[in-house]
Amino acid sequence: MKAISIGLLGLGTVGSGVVQIIENHQDKLMHQIGCPVMIKKILVKDENKERTVHIERELLTTNPDDILESPEIDIVIEVMGGVEETKNYLLKALQNRKHIVTANKDLMAVYGSELLSVATENGCDLFYEASVAGGIPILRGLVDGLASDRITKMMGIVNGTTNYILTKMSKQGSRYEDVLKEAQELGYAEADPTSDVGGWDAARKMAILATLGFSMNIDLDDVKVKGITEISEEDLSYSKKLGYTMKLIGIASRLENKVEVSVQPTLLPESHPLASVNDEYNAVYVYGEAVGETMFYGPGAGSLPTATAVVSDLVGVMKNMRLGVNGRSAVSPQFEKSLKQPGEIFSKYFVRLHVKDEVGVFAAITSIFSEHGASFEKILQMPLKQNELAEIVLVTHRTSLQDYEDILQKLNDYEMVKEIKSTYRVEGEGVI
Amino acid sequence: MKAISIGLLGLGTVGSGVVQIIENHQDKLMHQIGCPVMIKKILVKDENKERTVHIERELLTTNPDDILESPEIDIVIEVMGGVEETKNYLLKALQNRKHIVTANKDLMAVYGSELLSVATENGCDLFYEASVAGGIPILRGLVDGLASDRITKMMGIVNGTTNYILTKMSKQGSRYEDVLKEAQELGYAEADPTSDVGGWDAARKMAILATLGFSMNIDLDDVKVKGITEISEEDLSYSKKLGYTMKLIGIASRLENKVEVSVQPTLLPESHPLASVNDEYNAVYVYGEAVGETMFYGPGAGSLPTATAVVSDLVGVMKNMRLGVNGRSAVSPQFEKSLKQPGEIFSKYFVRLHVKDEVGVFAAITSIFSEHGASFEKILQMPLKQNELAEIVLVTHRTSLQDYEDILQKLNDYEMVKEIKSTYRVEGEGVI
């Protein structure tokens, strides 16, 4: 029986994991697919570099065409990262009718739709489970498991670095800068952490999830992003007092055919399933009209979990090859994109203010809220030691983002408000 | 384009949910499958019964052969329950080359292997996602998502009724009997709750999960079962003091090719992902060698969640029909079954004893443990008001079940031990 031949683009930690899994699971793969699987070529930058896994030297190449143009290769696994050059490699592979498995969220968030349609034109599979939430089979869950449901909301902790940092800050009461430094030393955060802590990595994953879950082309530009760099110990301590846990949450919600996709630090009630997802773990909470609440939990990154997702996709491609049905599973987006306006996005909000500690100020502030129809669920006020100021923490009932932005503007203009220290969205209670 | 025709066996709450979802999602189904879906016939006991959903009277029949023998029907959805008669219906349907979707765990736990092999012989699909954990796409997760991994352990909260009862007992400090009565009044527990509270329902689901996850034919008889009927308020209160949460946990674990499958009340550390799965929710925690820890969370029962899982399977069957690849996806078990002996099952244990409050008794008891190589992680001792007795609560380090059973026997024989009040397995810490 003819073996299926793989070309691997990249041999970093994920690539090495893929090699290892394919070697260690030959029996299981044979049993599932009915023929052997072989890695035929691996594209690397430097053939002479020391590797953590043992690789036959003759498998390595520095010439991408040894894979992309080789008639011997059936499937290309892309774990090299990068966007523009990588996209061109994959287009070439598809034109040469090679199926693709990729773990590249940066690429899929930007060129996903284009690549998927080229794949379909060429009768090729293009699978990308590993690009979102590493080892969690969430895309499969969305496509197959919830196929017959209408998904109205997804909330995800989809970045391990920021979840690690927020967990440590909450549990140890440490400062952001200190925890970030510790995370960098432990290898949980990159030397340049901008993409993680700025929320961009999470935004890419939410764009991929929303595109699939809502059957609508959601671009990275459609995602409103706020990172975790400005979260203070005070914010975390007040959250805890009020019964909330702070998480960097990606939200994708839909009402009729209008959607909102955002990433921002968000307060969740401690009893919410996402609130107990700690450390570097990821989870995606999905609300479907029929099924109600489901959650997928697991490692969001890491060499072996991501490699597992890659090999699962590989098994999917190979099963399709055996059945002769490649290139038919991608479903093109069904709906025209339509984004919610700020007047159509509803949520609760937490806001912390420093105000002059004088008679009538609190009443004036509450009237700014009530003019916009916003009332309060929780109120904390306490005097500050310095400067005759008071600190006020308010949690509103559900209000529109439009109203809330107007309220913030008016608070900002009101001379008795010294500073709006922080504000966060509050999710996961009652109304979806 | 020819519509795909469905025959429905049963029109209870799940059946009605299926009818509703298919009607409400015609557009989405069309988009995914490319042709319309129609329910052609529904087998009911009484054609004249009032229904919660509107159904054309002419769709109803009391004659199963109107579905099983009808050349018009492509797919049979079985949501009528029952085992022996239902099995014969499904065999007949398969012999007539109809694909099957079933939500029937009782049937699949007993006749799953036989039905699956008849399905394969006849080129038919037989999907049964809804039979385990209602709305959670766990079977798909095991088959596809973790296809390339080696699953070494699954722990599941797979029965909503018992999880509801244990959650209420823990949170309110109520007695088992009172909560059960309340659950029955609310419709969360059946009038005869034996199958749920005795652990049998969970055992059936664990047999299905273990068969699939370990690729081995696990029968219901292979599952060791203990229910929740003997859990006392004292046990729950001691658990809490020691930092544990009590859950009815199904465990399926494997070392090399030897497996253990059991269902029993189990103590988990409060930080374990399963510990915060509350009320009627279900979750399955899966440990894979490569991926590490993942968890699938969602509603374990209910008309619409279960119906969603049924319709997702239906979509799977219909996609296969369009591709012409039915009957090829069932993978027959790869390994011979081999069950672990008590000497090969390792775990921590919680035990609560009433002993005579005399000098030397505690030393004698600990020496019984140490003779079997078992040491303690946690110890609590306090005098009891009556009868000059003391209460001792011990949590052991990991020990074999064989040793632990010998220890229990010796404690039982020791005259200073008045009574072994309770004992529970402790899971989810450190070593998998």
Side-chain angles (χ1 to χ4, degrees):
Chain A
M1 202 161 8
K2 195 178 161 288
I4 291 177
S5 295
I6 314 284
L8 199 60
L9 306 178
L11 189 58
T13 54
V14 176
S16 308
V18 170
V19 172
Q20 232 173 293
I21 293 177
I22 292 178
E23 275 178 10
N24 295 345
H25 291 78
Q26 274 294 340
D27 274 9
K28 189 168 175 184
L29 293 170
M30 267 290 280
H31 183 75
Q32 288 184 84
I33 309 149
C35 72
V37 188
M38 284 178 55
I39 296 180
K40 265 273 163 61
K41 273 286 168 218
I42 305 176
L43 177 69
V44 293
K45 280 194 201 126
D46 174 2
E47 292 173 75
N48 300 312
K49 194 178 152 188
E50 288 270 343
R51 308 280 166 188
T52 52
V53 282
H54 173 75
I55 307 267
E56 300 287 330
R57 176 61 192 273
E58 64 194 42
L59 291 182
L60 304 180
T61 176
T62 53
N63 178 5
D65 286 342
D66 285 351
I67 291 170
L68 308 175
E69 302 273 10
S70 160
E72 285 197 323
I73 303 282
D74 303 299
I75 304 171
V76 172
I77 296 179
E78 186 274 300
V79 284
M80 59 186 275
V83 177
E84 299 300 333
E85 188 187 35
T86 313
K87 176 199 162 200
N88 292 331
Y89 285 4
L90 297 195
L91 285 176
K92 198 186 238 186
L94 290 171
Q95 277 141 13
N96 288 320
R97 300 195 180 259
K98 301 183 189 321
H99 311 294
I100 289 175
V101 174
T102 175
N104 192 330
K105 62 184 166 292
D106 303 4
L107 178 69
M108 289 307 292
V110 181
Y111 293 118
S113 310
E114 181 182 343
L115 287 166
L116 283 167
S117 79
V118 175
T120 306
E121 281 163 26
N122 286 281
C124 291
D125 283 337
L126 166 55
F127 288 177
Y128 54 102
E129 180 71 71
S131 69
V132 182
I136 313 177
I138 172 68
L139 300 188
R140 233 175 273 273
L142 289 181
V143 173
D144 297 332
L146 306 171
S148 60
D149 202 356
R150 191 180 147 88
I151 292 163
T152 50
K153 186 161 189 171
M154 292 178 276
M155 295 206 290
I157 295 175
V158 288
N159 179 272
T161 305
T162 48
N163 202 42
Y164 176 85
I165 292 174
L166 289 178
T167 303
K168 290 287 175 242
M169 285 177 72
S170 298
K171 298 218 162 151
Q172 303 169 351
S174 325
R175 287 171 61 231
Y176 167 73
E177 290 79 8
D178 298 336
V179 180
L180 173 60
K181 212 175 138 219
E182 189 193 313
Q184 284 171 324
E185 282 162 11
L186 289 168
Y188 288 148
E190 317 238 352
D192 175 2
T194 321
S195 164
D196 290 322
V197 301
W200 298 105
D201 175 82
R204 285 183 200 106
K205 294 169 183 166
M206 290 311 298
I208 298 173
L209 282 176
T211 297
L212 204 57
F214 297 156
S215 198
M216 207 178 276
N217 258 325
I218 304 293
D219 300 320
L220 189 51
D221 293 341
D222 301 324
V223 187
K224 272 190 67 171
V225 184
K226 191 180 160 194
I228 65 163
T229 52
E230 286 163 27
I231 298 173
S232 68
E233 305 101 281
E234 287 81 12
D235 293 331
L236 290 174
S237 132
Y238 277 116
S239 315
K240 217 178 275 182
K241 264 182 211 149
L242 294 168
Y244 295 117
T245 304
M246 175 93 71
K247 294 287 178 191
L248 182 69
I249 298 289
I251 296 175
S253 77
R254 140 162 94 180
L255 187 70
E256 306 298 331
N257 279 332
K258 299 197 104 180
V259 304
E260 180 223 352
V261 188
S262 68
V263 170
Q264 59 197 297
T266 302
L267 301 183
L268 299 171
E270 275 159 12
S271 58
H272 194 278
L274 284 172
S276 46
V277 174
N278 286 323
D279 301 319
E280 73 278 19
Y281 278 90
N282 280 200
V284 181
Y285 169 96
V286 180
Y287 193 91
E289 274 177 3
V291 81
E293 306 169 54
T294 55
M295 189 174 84
F296 301 79
Y297 166 98
S303 149
L304 280 178
T306 307
T308 306
V310 167
V311 181
S312 292
D313 272 354
L314 179 64
V315 170
V317 175
M318 294 190 293
K319 280 187 180 167
N320 284 351
M321 285 175 68
R322 301 280 299 169
L323 301 173
V325 296
N326 300 96
R328 304 194 211 166
S329 54
V331 177
S332 54
Q334 187 181 3
F335 303 109
E336 278 299 307
K337 172 168 67 189
S338 165
L339 298 176
K340 283 190 196 172
Q341 298 306 306
E344 299 168 305
I345 297 170
F346 289 85
S347 181
K348 299 177 180 182
Y349 292 94
F350 164 109
V351 61
R352 182 161 68 91
L353 306 168
H354 282 185
V355 304
K356 297 219 173 110
D357 198 358
E358 289 178 18
V359 174
V361 171
F362 190 79
I365 287 173
T366 55
S367 77
I368 291 177
F369 281 84
S370 57
E371 279 164 26
H372 287 275
S375 59
F376 303 116
E377 186 175 286
K378 289 171 183 170
I379 298 173
L380 271 182
Q381 172 167 2
M382 47 200 63
L384 285 173
K385 296 221 168 91
Q386 353 77 303
N387 307 329
E388 298 175 333
L389 290 179
E391 185 157 57
I392 299 182
V393 175
L394 302 167
V395 177
T396 69
H397 282 297
R398 278 164 68 81
T399 179
S400 80
L401 179 57
Q402 180 68 66
D403 277 318
Y404 188 62
E405 281 173 349
D406 291 345
I407 290 169
L408 288 180
Q409 188 56 51
K410 285 190 186 165
L411 289 174
N412 213 34
D413 294 345
Y414 178 39
E415 78 263 12
M416 290 300 183
V417 173
K418 183 83 196 315
E419 194 183 350
I420 299 174
K421 297 295 289 182
S422 58
T423 181
Y424 300 102
R425 193 154 155 170
V426 177
E427 282 284 332
E429 275 174 328
V431 190
I432 312 140
Chain B
M1 202 161 11
K2 194 178 161 288
I4 291 177
S5 295
I6 314 283
L8 200 60
L9 305 179
L11 189 58
T13 54
V14 175
S16 308
V18 170
V19 172
Q20 233 174 294
I21 292 177
I22 292 178
E23 274 177 12
N24 295 346
H25 291 78
Q26 275 294 340
D27 275 8
K28 188 167 174 186
L29 292 170
M30 267 292 279
H31 182 75
Q32 288 184 85
I33 310 150
C35 72
V37 188
M38 284 177 55
I39 295 180
K40 266 273 162 65
K41 273 287 169 216
I42 305 176
L43 177 70
V44 294
K45 278 194 202 127
D46 175 2
E47 292 173 74
N48 300 312
K49 193 178 154 189
E50 288 269 345
R51 308 280 167 187
T52 51
V53 281
H54 173 75
I55 307 267
E56 299 287 330
R57 176 63 191 273
E58 65 194 40
L59 291 182
L60 304 180
T61 176
T62 53
N63 178 5
D65 287 342
D66 286 352
I67 290 171
L68 308 175
E69 302 272 12
S70 160
E72 285 197 324
I73 302 284
D74 303 299
I75 304 172
V76 172
I77 296 180
E78 186 272 301
V79 285
M80 59 187 274
V83 177
E84 299 300 334
E85 189 187 34
T86 313
K87 177 198 164 201
N88 292 330
Y89 286 3
L90 297 194
L91 285 175
K92 198 186 239 186
L94 289 171
Q95 277 141 12
N96 290 321
R97 302 196 179 259
K98 301 184 189 320
H99 310 294
I100 289 174
V101 175
T102 175
N104 191 330
K105 62 184 165 288
D106 304 3
L107 179 68
M108 289 307 292
V110 181
Y111 293 116
S113 309
E114 182 182 342
L115 287 166
L116 284 166
S117 79
V118 175
T120 306
E121 282 163 25
N122 286 281
C124 292
D125 283 336
L126 167 54
F127 288 177
Y128 54 101
E129 180 71 69
S131 69
V132 181
I136 313 177
I138 171 69
L139 300 187
R140 234 173 273 273
L142 290 182
V143 174
D144 297 333
L146 306 172
S148 61
D149 202 357
R150 190 180 148 87
I151 292 163
T152 51
K153 186 160 188 172
M154 292 178 276
M155 294 206 291
I157 295 174
V158 288
N159 179 272
T161 305
T162 47
N163 202 42
Y164 176 86
I165 292 174
L166 288 178
T167 304
K168 290 287 173 237
M169 285 178 72
S170 299
K171 296 218 162 149
Q172 303 169 350
S174 324
R175 286 171 60 233
Y176 166 73
E177 290 79 7
D178 298 337
V179 180
L180 173 61
K181 210 175 140 221
E182 189 194 313
Q184 284 170 325
E185 282 162 11
L186 290 168
Y188 288 147
E190 317 238 354
D192 174 4
T194 321
S195 164
D196 290 321
V197 301
W200 299 104
D201 175 82
R204 285 184 200 104
K205 294 169 183 163
M206 291 311 296
I208 298 172
L209 282 176
T211 297
L212 205 57
F214 297 154
S215 197
M216 208 178 274
N217 257 324
I218 304 293
D219 299 321
L220 189 51
D221 294 339
D222 301 324
V223 187
K224 272 188 69 172
V225 184
K226 191 180 160 195
I228 65 163
T229 52
E230 286 163 28
I231 298 173
S232 67
E233 306 100 282
E234 287 80 12
D235 292 331
L236 290 174
S237 134
Y238 277 116
S239 315
K240 217 178 273 180
K241 265 181 210 149
L242 295 168
Y244 296 117
T245 303
M246 176 93 71
K247 295 286 180 192
L248 183 69
I249 297 289
I251 296 176
S253 75
R254 140 161 93 180
L255 186 70
E256 305 298 331
N257 278 332
K258 298 197 105 179
V259 304
E260 180 222 352
V261 189
S262 68
V263 170
Q264 60 195 295
T266 302
L267 301 183
L268 299 171
E270 275 159 11
S271 58
H272 194 277
L274 285 172
S276 46
V277 174
N278 286 324
D279 301 321
E280 73 279 20
Y281 279 90
N282 280 200
V284 181
Y285 169 96
V286 180
Y287 193 91
E289 275 177 2
V291 79
E293 306 169 54
T294 55
M295 189 174 84
F296 300 79
Y297 166 99
S303 149
L304 280 178
T306 307
T308 306
V310 167
V311 182
S312 291
D313 272 354
L314 179 66
V315 171
V317 174
M318 293 189 295
K319 280 187 180 168
N320 283 351
M321 286 175 69
R322 299 283 297 170
L323 301 173
V325 296
N326 301 96
R328 304 195 212 166
S329 53
V331 176
S332 54
Q334 187 180 2
F335 303 109
E336 278 300 306
K337 172 169 67 189
S338 165
L339 298 177
K340 283 189 196 171
Q341 298 307 307
E344 299 168 305
I345 297 171
F346 289 86
S347 181
K348 297 178 182 184
Y349 292 94
F350 164 108
V351 61
R352 182 160 69 93
L353 307 168
H354 282 186
V355 304
K356 297 216 172 113
D357 199 357
E358 290 177 19
V359 174
V361 171
F362 190 79
I365 287 173
T366 54
S367 77
I368 292 177
F369 280 84
S370 56
E371 278 163 27
H372 287 275
S375 58
F376 303 117
E377 187 175 287
K378 290 172 184 170
I379 298 172
L380 271 183
Q381 172 167 1
M382 47 200 63
L384 284 173
K385 297 226 168 85
Q386 353 76 303
N387 308 331
E388 296 175 336
L389 289 179
E391 184 156 59
I392 299 181
V393 175
L394 302 167
V395 177
T396 69
H397 283 297
R398 279 164 68 81
T399 178
S400 80
L401 179 56
Q402 180 69 66
D403 278 318
Y404 189 63
E405 282 174 348
D406 292 345
I407 290 168
L408 289 180
Q409 188 57 53
K410 284 190 188 167
L411 289 174
N412 212 34
D413 295 344
Y414 179 39
E415 78 263 11
M416 290 299 182
V417 174
K418 184 82 196 313
E419 194 183 350
I420 300 173
K421 297 294 289 183
S422 58
T423 181
Y424 300 103
R425 193 154 152 168
V426 178
E427 283 283 332
E429 275 174 327
V431 189
I432 313 141

